[in-house]
Structures are given as structure tokens and as C-alpha cells.
Amino acid sequence: MITRFNGTLDFPSIYRGPPSPEIDAAWSRIANDVLPTRMSLEEILKAGEVDSPSKVKYPAKFGGGFMVSMDAPHQLHCLNLLRKASWPEYYGPKDISFQDTPEVVRMHLDHCIEMIRQNIMCNADVTMITWDWVQRHSFPYPNFNTRHQCRNYEKILDWAVKHAVHIDKSEITRFEDTVDLPLPFHLHHDV
């Protein structure tokens, strides 16, 4: 679908502004990166992944298959974390993401910056931004109100909710042939 972005600097949006319960609820709705769904082994292989004994499988009584989740909500989770980090006086004392050691918080923020960078470069949007002469500006000003070819994120969210696997964390168990991936070196100090 063609969507015109409104990039006006002061354009009101449900996703921007000083922290509030309404803004947090709006972000929470679009950035829920823990909504797991399932894929079969055939779908996993078709997606270019490999079968591995470390991948999480659902028990047969829950339909089997592999636990998966979409990347877009995780990317929005990362953007939301960066938004929250820009309001440290509000989120710092109360958000669980900022309650860990400074090193772990920094690692999480750097992870998010890197994930967003990779996604932007992977999906490089080549929409052209025109520049205009604007009153009281001596240099041309970019017009960020541009048309983009977009996916319908509401439909993606609807699909994710419809296909979510509702299973208590205690029901997610290791199979006998499960193999743990090695713990990354930088996390060894927390064990």
C-alpha cells in the first residue's frame, strides 16, 4: 500500500512526546516481540535456516513445530527501548530494561542500535526526499512528507495474534536430544 509519511518536525503522533501511559500503551501494542508462533521443519528449511538440536520445539500436545517470532516487532521493541533511553528520568527508575548493570543496559542498547542499522541497510528505502525553500531559512529544507510503498502492519499484527501459540512458559520443555548453544563469552561473568 502507498503511504505518505508525515515527517513534519512537530507532527502529533500517538508514538511521540513526553512519556505517558497512552504512549506506552501504543508502543506496547506494536512492539510485542515475545508473541511466539510456530513453523514446521519444512518451513524452517525453506526460510534458509538449518535444523539444529538447539532450536526450541513445542511439545506434541501443543501441535509440535518450532518456536518462532517475527523480527518486525523486535525491531520496534528496540526502537522503543531507544525512545525510553531518551527519557532516563522517567523510565530509568521504573522500567525493567534499565534495572540491570550499566554494562548489560549498554549491551542491550548497542544490540538494538545494531539491529536497527542492519534492518535499515537491508531494506534500504530509496524514496526521494525533495528540498524546499522555507520562510526564515537561508538554506533549503528537506520535505520529509514522502510517499512510500509499505506493508500493512495492522494486518501483520492481526496475523501474529491469530497464529500465536498460547503456552505457559512452564510447558516449554527441553527434549532429550536438545543441545544448548554455547554462552557468548561476554556473558560468562553473569553466570
Side-chain angles (χ1 to χ4, degrees):
M1 68 186 199
I2 301 295
T3 302
R4 181 170 296 279
F5 287 12
N6 191 325
T8 306
L9 288 179
D10 61 351
F11 178 72
S13 167
I14 191 171
Y15 303 107
R16 71 187 289 181
S20 71
E22 295 78 19
I23 289 175
D24 288 341
W27 275 97
S28 180
R29 188 180 80 77
I30 65 170
N32 184 352
D33 69 336
V34 294
L35 198 60
T37 58
R38 86 177 75 242
M39 286 180 88
S40 67
L41 176 58
E42 295 77 25
E43 291 168 316
I44 292 277
L45 297 174
K46 188 175 180 181
E49 291 292 324
V50 295
D51 186 13
S52 165
S54 66
K55 291 197 182 333
V56 177
K57 299 175 196 160
Y58 289 115
K61 72 178 185 177
F62 292 101
F66 292 87
M67 181 185 283
V68 297
S69 58
M70 286 190 290
D71 202 21
H74 174 253
Q75 293 160 8
L76 287 168
H77 152 82
C78 278
L79 188 58
N80 190 30
L81 183 70
L82 295 174
R83 176 190 70 86
K84 289 177 178 181
S86 76
W87 296 95
E89 67 286 346
Y90 183 85
Y91 292 106
K94 70 178 201 172
D95 191 291
I96 193 164
S97 297
F98 303 106
Q99 302 307 310
D100 219 321
T101 65
E103 295 81 18
V104 171
V105 171
R106 181 76 257 164
M107 191 176 1
H108 191 179
L109 290 168
D110 287 345
H111 155 80
C112 283
I113 291 166
E114 182 61 9
M115 293 300 296
I116 293 168
R117 180 201 62 80
Q118 289 181 60
N119 186 266
I120 290 171
M121 291 179 74
C122 177
N123 295 296
D125 186 344
V126 295
T127 299
M128 296 298 165
I129 298 170
T130 59
W131 291 66
D132 298 309
W133 290 108
V134 178
Q135 291 179 349
R136 296 193 305 271
H137 283 262
S138 57
F139 193 75
Y141 196 80
N143 180 353
F144 294 114
N145 300 304
T146 52
R147 292 167 42 97
H148 297 258
Q149 178 66 46
C150 300
R151 291 186 171 138
N152 185 326
Y153 196 72
E154 292 301 320
K155 285 185 178 180
I156 292 169
L157 282 179
D158 290 346
W159 182 93
V161 168
K162 180 180 177 186
H163 291 89
V165 175
H166 301 284
I167 179 174
D168 189 86
K169 286 185 179 185
S170 66
E171 297 281 353
I172 301 172
T173 57
R174 296 171 183 270
F175 288 82
E176 285 185 25
D177 62 346
T178 298
V179 174
D180 289 346
L181 292 177
L183 185 67
F185 177 76
H186 62 276
L187 296 179
H188 281 275
H189 73 279
D190 292 337
V191 178

